[in-house]
Amino acid sequence: MEMEPQGSVADVQVAKANDSTVEVDGGNLGCIHYRRGCKLKAPCCDEVYDCRHCHNEIKNAIEIDPIRRHDLPRHEVKKVICSLCDTEQDVQQNCINCGVCMGKYFCQICKFYDNDVSLKITFPRCCYSKEIKDTHVCVERAMHHDCPVCSEFLFDTLKDLTMLPCGHTMHLDCLKEMERHHRYSCPICSKSICDLSEAWKNLDYEVEVTPMPEIYKNKMVWILCNDCQKISKVQFHIVGQKCTQCNSYNTRQIRGGPSSAVSCTSSASEEVAN
């Protein structure tokens, strides 16, 4: 399910059950990308398409002359055509002729219509699932960047997205691929993406049963915890350095000790994999 941005919460309109406008079953209206009651008139080529993705797939096909390939500039759309009565009109939520609600979920700025509002809720600048309304970490313009794994621009993607506990977003499939390779930290901020307390206990045991050479037994280093952002002075160990504040091994050495012995989440990841 694609998530669309808005200028502000006030710019987004969601039709309510007691609205006086006509409502229809959107199951047979729209395209494979959206359920909606209107089509868009593309300002770039003056042609009509069910949505901008339908337009882009056709206008960027391999058989099209590369010079003529282009994307629909969504914010420049001025006209829409009602799918029920074929009335062309300015961008608005309800048809001026038959009164149908062309999109229960509607954004005037994005020129966005959708009749499937079951999993959507509006937040400033973006939309997320209702399930994370009271628990998500707000990151400004969280979807206005490339996926940190595959580098596809998240704002335009049609793939399923997920929000990490730290608030950063990425493709759900890319997250699953990370987990298959035993990577359990955010590619952007390095915070743990799941509960690794059991892994930390395993590392405690590894530290206990792995004696250090005499030259390093009293070596102290400064570490920064990627999870709680606290700085600690701890005893150096080749297995990893444990944060004294939150007990996480997702740390990095910032001062002292051999430069090659920096502790990080990869150590924990290998432990989790085993």
Side-chain angles (χ1 to χ4, degrees):
M1 178 181 68
E2 184 179 9
M3 301 177 182
E4 296 283 345
Q6 302 86 39
S8 68
V9 174
D11 295 321
V12 184
Q13 301 174 32
V14 180
K16 296 181 172 56
N18 58 0
D19 282 351
S20 59
T21 56
V22 178
E23 292 188 8
V24 296
D25 181 6
N28 296 322
L29 298 177
C31 59
I32 62 171
H33 304 108
Y34 301 111
R35 290 170 50 193
R36 54 173 53 165
C38 67
K39 302 178 186 295
L40 307 180
K41 189 170 185 179
C44 44
C45 52
D46 207 35
E47 298 177 14
V48 177
Y49 292 89
D50 285 304
C51 76
R52 65 189 179 94
H53 298 296
C54 292
H55 168 280
N56 295 346
E57 288 173 2
I58 293 174
K59 292 300 183 179
N60 290 292
I62 189 67
E63 60 270 16
I64 299 297
D65 185 341
I67 298 179
R68 302 182 63 185
R69 294 175 190 172
H70 65 281
D71 290 337
L72 188 154
R74 142 177 91 207
H75 294 88
E76 297 177 16
V77 171
K78 304 295 184 185
K79 298 292 183 179
V80 297
I81 294 88
C82 176
S83 298
L84 290 186
C85 66
D86 291 327
T87 300
E88 182 175 323
Q89 57 203 279
D90 293 338
V91 174
Q92 55 200 301
Q93 189 169 24
N94 305 308
C95 177
I96 58 174
N97 181 49
C98 67
V100 68
C101 177
M102 296 182 288
K104 295 178 183 177
Y105 182 90
F106 168 70
C107 178
Q108 180 76 35
I109 293 179
C110 296
K111 315 305 190 286
F112 178 69
Y113 297 81
D114 197 354
N115 279 320
D116 182 7
V117 298
S118 59
L119 296 177
K120 294 176 181 177
I121 188 167
T122 58
F123 288 90
R125 303 298 301 173
C126 57
C127 300
Y128 295 113
S129 168
K130 292 179 180 179
E131 295 177 357
I132 64 172
K133 176 183 178 182
D134 299 319
T135 59
H136 80 289
V137 176
C138 187
V139 174
E140 180 72 16
R141 299 176 67 83
M143 293 186 347
H144 290 250
H145 65 81
D146 296 340
C147 173
V149 174
C150 70
S151 298
E152 180 183 355
F153 192 47
L154 296 179
F155 183 72
D156 292 326
T157 188
L158 289 176
K159 301 175 184 176
D160 288 337
L161 302 178
T162 186
M163 176 183 285
L164 303 180
C166 57
H168 292 116
T169 53
M170 61 188 301
H171 288 127
L172 180 59
D173 286 343
C174 290
L175 176 61
K176 292 178 179 179
E177 186 67 20
M178 281 177 49
E179 293 173 342
R180 281 193 288 269
H181 288 82
H182 312 298
R183 300 299 176 186
Y184 300 100
S185 62
C186 172
I188 298 175
C189 68
S190 296
K191 289 188 176 182
S192 298
I193 62 176
C194 58
D195 181 8
L196 294 173
S197 54
E198 289 301 315
W200 304 153
K201 291 178 182 178
N202 291 337
L203 288 178
D204 282 340
Y205 174 77
E206 292 295 329
V207 169
E208 183 179 348
V209 299
T210 307
M212 290 295 292
E214 191 67 30
I215 189 174
Y216 292 132
K217 279 189 175 179
N218 298 316
K219 183 68 177 178
M220 303 297 291
V221 294
W222 291 92
I223 60 170
L224 172 65
C225 179
N226 292 322
D227 288 335
C228 71
Q229 300 296 303
K230 302 294 184 182
I231 294 176
S232 306
K233 186 178 183 181
V234 300
Q235 188 168 351
F236 169 76
H237 199 284
I238 191 64
V239 171
Q241 275 70 244
K242 181 179 181 178
C243 175
T244 60
Q245 305 295 318
C246 69
N247 298 321
S248 170
Y249 278 91
N250 181 14
T251 63
R252 44 184 158 166
Q253 185 180 306
I254 56 176
R255 263 195 296 159
S259 59
S260 61
V262 178
S263 175
C264 60
T265 305
S266 58
S267 300
S269 301
E270 295 299 326
E271 193 65 30
V272 172
N274 295 329

